[in-house]
Amino acid sequence: MKNENQNSNPRQRVLQVNSLVQEVLGELILRGVEFPQGSLVSITRVDTSPNLQQVKVYISVMPEEKQEEVMKTLSRDIYHIQQDLNQKLHMRPVPKIIWIASKELAKAQH
């Protein structure tokens, strides 16, 4: 008899990982990353590759003028954020983080 995990749809697994990664990374960057003063940073979307090797994390920044500085901060702190993510997620492989500046919020503002 197969267990529940073997019967699950691979697409459903990716969606579950997306949700988990977004939640954990949200907590990690809220508590562990010092962003430029006056900036509001949020994770708008997370897309994990089907093989679970990497995760694209879309970041929204307000005001938009601080986006470049925020992305530099995230890039600078990527090693520690990745290490913390590896410790918090109870899965293998843990996807490698790729930060992407989200343009969705800027479009909505215009």
Side-chain angles (χ1 to χ4, degrees), residues 5-40:
N5 289 340
Q6 290 173 326
N7 288 333
S8 67
N9 177 345
R11 178 71 184 138
Q12 185 64 32
R13 170 90 169 132
V14 169
L15 293 175
Q16 290 172 337
V17 171
N18 286 347
S19 178
L20 181 61
V21 168
Q22 185 165 356
E23 180 182 329
V24 171
L25 277 179
E27 290 175 18
L28 289 175
I29 66 173
L30 177 67
R31 297 185 197 328
V33 179
E34 289 193 35
F35 291 111
Q37 188 171 358
S39 61
L40 176 63

Side-chain angles (χ1 to χ4, degrees), residues 60-71:
S60 173
V61 180
M62 285 185 62
E64 194 176 345
E65 299 80 45
K66 300 215 183 234
Q67 184 168 344
E68 186 176 332
E69 194 175 349
V70 165
M71 296 307 286

Side-chain angles (χ1 to χ4, degrees), residues 47-71:
D47 287 330
T48 305
S49 63
N51 65 2
L52 306 179
Q53 294 292 318
Q54 58 183 226
V55 59
K56 293 178 182 175
V57 181
Y58 294 83
I59 302 294
S60 173
V61 180
M62 285 185 62
E64 194 176 345
E65 299 80 45
K66 300 215 183 234
Q67 184 168 344
E68 186 176 332
E69 194 175 349
V70 165
M71 296 307 286

